[in-house]
Amino acid sequence: MGNLKRKTILLGISGGIAAYKMCDLARQLVRASYNVKVIMTQHAAKFVGPATFRSLTGNPVALDLFDDPAAPINHISLAEEADLFLIAPATANVIAKLAHGRADDLLTTTALAYQGQLLVAPAMNTQMYLDSVTQENLATLTARGAQLIGPASGELACGDSGPGRMVEAQTLFGIIEDSIQTSDWLAGKKVLISAGSTQEYLDPVRYLTNRSSGKMGTALTRAALQAGAEVQLVLGPASAAVPVDKRLACTRVVTADEMCAAMISFALEANLIICSAAVSDYRPAKKASIKIKKRQSQLGQTNQQDTQVLELVQNPDILAKLGRMKIEKTLKADTILVGFAAETNNLEDNAQAKLERKGADYIIANDVSRADIGFESTENEVRIFSKAAPEADTLLPKTSKTQLARQILQRVYPLS
Ligand code: PMT
């Protein structure tokens, strides 16, 4: 029995008939030598008795915030102790509470305090699952880094048939095993990530920018943290939430010049560098020190003679500079350099050209002409081009940026 099997799996069980499947899962996990802890909601305890889980796991079952007077902050210790937290079955109500940060019982309080890898297996009536509110709540959880498992389709306890069945215990067990075994594969590694847009000012109030939300870059950050890495994030203006983690340092920048300086200064220490930021290729040649005024026209008229020509100059190409540092051996000998390619046409040719021109080991290409992936969306689909075999790219099909980020890391920095 290896070290990996000594991990603590926290099972959060909420009130659905599928709670019975968790007995089988708990048994399988215990047999595989995991330390299994269980939290049940009051409703879950109406479907399966806590004594069943106590017998199966050999651990006390946590039901209430004030269960144990000797350990009044049980939710913090459970959250800190867990190597992986699975909430299954996750009812529509629990999913809504998780999405909105409500913490009114032991399960949701522990989930809010928990900073590690969270798996959520929804189980509910089909109409409840398909309702737009539930879908939005699930999208919120995914965007924050939770991994959804299922639901499966089939006959439901309420008599309906459709999506909403919790996946089987065997499936959950397999996913837990995979997650745990790869969970620490970046431990001891330093990962440097750029994310978000840049803003290039014309005057004190106007700037050139693009639509990057930072979701792809923060998803990569989360995935690297979950894999045990220390992460330095260099973040331009972005709306995406930045994870809170003691292994993450986040440096905020605004312009391409600032992003370039920050990336170069951190690059020397990094084992893996990922440039996912959408950096402005150009900036205004001059920045006015005061707000640029238009020429006056007659009341209510537009002055057609008042035209402005904006002169732009190139910004530094940060990825290409890092590529040069790699060739000149200024970076660590084994540093892996990864760039993105945001393309609207000729994706393959452009990505292969960027691989070569920017000196990257990998280029992750996405089609930003599509509304359902790329900029701002919660999902993405990418093709990975590698320096080792530029012609043989790998497609990672459309999925949440959270899941995709994990897959990208596994491709560009595999477990050795
Ligand atoms: O942030 P989101 O809303 O989640 O959207 C994600 C994304 C679409 C921004 C992301 O998936 C993506 O494609 N990022 C790269 C955007 C980009 O600038 O692509 P590019 O093809 O213009 O640049 C190629 C590479 O060179 C990129 O790694 C870029 O970071 C880098 N670059 C570009 C210009 C420049 N001056 N310096 C650079 O380092």
Side-chain angles (χ1 to χ4, degrees):
M1 184 178 59
N3 243 354
L4 292 169
K5 298 273 170 88
R6 286 285 173 205
K7 304 265 174 163
T8 296
I9 309 296
L10 182 57
L11 302 179
I13 305 176
S14 65
I17 179 67
Y20 80 90
K21 295 183 185 178
M22 299 301 283
C23 301
D24 191 22
L25 177 65
R27 197 168 42 86
Q28 290 190 45
L29 290 169
V30 169
R31 274 199 191 144
S33 299
Y34 290 104
N35 179 29
V36 181
K37 298 265 173 118
V38 174
I39 300 175
M40 299 181 83
T41 63
Q42 301 296 333
H43 286 157
K46 294 193 189 300
F47 287 94
V48 184
T52 307
F53 287 105
R54 199 162 46 240
S55 313
L56 286 169
T57 65
N59 280 320
V61 171
L63 286 159
D64 190 86
L65 275 165
F66 304 101
D67 275 346
D68 179 359
I73 48 170
N74 204 13
H75 56 292
I76 304 293
S77 53
L78 285 167
E80 283 178 349
E81 195 186 348
D83 293 292
L84 183 144
F85 189 4
L86 166 68
I87 301 184
T91 59
N93 180 43
V94 161
I95 287 167
K97 289 202 267 183
L98 295 175
H100 296 277
R102 278 200 69 179
D104 62 358
D105 60 10
L106 183 60
L107 193 153
T108 49
T109 311
T110 307
L112 198 57
Y114 176 72
Q115 294 299 314
Q117 190 174 2
L118 178 67
L119 309 183
V120 177
M124 67 198 75
N125 160 274
T126 299
Q127 300 313 324
M128 289 169 78
Y129 172 69
L130 294 176
D131 192 279
S132 59
V133 176
T134 304
Q135 290 299 314
E136 279 165 27
N137 289 336
L138 289 169
T140 303
L141 286 187
T142 311
R144 276 203 219 115
Q147 183 182 345
L148 299 184
I149 307 171
S153 270
E155 204 180 312
L156 302 169
C158 59
D160 283 0
S161 190
R165 270 176 77 88
M166 191 177 92
V167 298
E168 299 304 319
Q170 188 59 39
T171 307
L172 293 173
F173 178 76
I175 292 172
I176 289 172
E177 281 268 273
D178 285 352
S179 303
I180 284 290
Q181 279 166 18
T182 57
S183 62
D184 283 344
W185 97 97
L186 289 179
K189 303 291 176 196
K190 294 193 171 167
V191 179
L192 171 61
I193 298 174
S194 75
S197 66
T198 64
Q199 292 175 349
E200 313 296 333
Y201 278 78
L202 284 68
D203 70 12
V205 294
R206 302 180 177 102
Y207 52 80
L208 299 176
T209 191
N210 58 64
R211 288 169 36 216
S212 174
S213 62
K215 285 180 187 166
M216 191 69 244
T218 50
L220 286 160
T221 302
R222 258 188 219 99
L225 289 168
Q226 283 173 358
E230 254 179 65
V231 182
Q232 170 66 59
L233 174 65
V234 176
L235 184 61
S239 56
V242 179
V244 178
D245 192 299
K246 48 185 180 302
R247 282 181 286 108
L248 171 66
C250 178
T251 301
R252 300 301 302 237
V253 295
V254 176
T255 65
D257 268 336
E258 289 170 9
M259 185 173 279
C260 186
M263 289 296 286
I264 302 253
S265 74
F266 296 127
L268 303 181
E269 294 291 307
N271 302 99
L272 169 62
I273 304 175
I274 307 180
C275 296
S276 72
V279 185
S280 184
D281 283 322
Y282 297 95
R283 66 175 181 276
K286 280 187 289 210
K287 178 183 164 190
S289 60
I290 54 170
K291 187 182 169 200
I292 299 167
K293 297 279 184 200
K294 66 181 178 189
R295 250 182 265 149
Q296 294 308 312
S297 52
Q298 294 213 323
L299 186 63
Q301 303 280 305
T302 304
N303 185 343
Q304 304 292 352
Q305 267 66 56
D306 181 17
T307 59
Q308 293 270 357
V309 176
L310 189 59
E311 193 189 346
L312 301 175
V313 293
Q314 267 197 19
N315 268 329
D317 189 316
I318 306 165
L319 177 58
K321 275 183 182 285
L322 294 167
R324 172 150 289 276
M325 287 169 75
K326 187 173 160 85
I327 290 165
E328 289 170 350
K329 304 198 185 313
T330 324
L331 302 180
K332 281 175 186 276
D334 57 353
T335 301
I336 300 292
L337 181 59
V338 181
F340 269 70
E343 304 299 338
T344 55
N345 57 304
N346 295 340
L347 182 140
E348 183 165 343
D349 290 349
N350 291 337
Q352 284 165 345
K354 279 177 187 167
L355 197 56
E356 167 99 38
R357 203 170 62 235
K358 303 203 183 212
D361 295 299
Y362 295 92
I363 286 287
I364 317 287
N366 43 192
D367 180 348
V368 291
S369 69
R370 284 172 55 179
D372 59 330
I373 59 167
F375 283 107
E376 294 169 316
S377 57
T378 53
E379 295 185 310
N380 209 355
E381 174 178 303
V382 300
R383 286 170 67 181
I384 304 186
F385 294 82
S386 75
K387 186 167 80 179
E391 306 300 326
D393 68 288
T394 307
L395 171 73
L396 299 184
K398 184 169 135 178
T399 183
S400 67
K401 284 181 176 168
T402 305
Q403 308 227 17
L404 200 72
R406 205 169 295 127
Q407 293 168 15
I408 290 172
L409 288 184
Q410 281 164 355
R411 293 276 167 177
V412 301
Y413 211 99
L415 184 63
S416 51

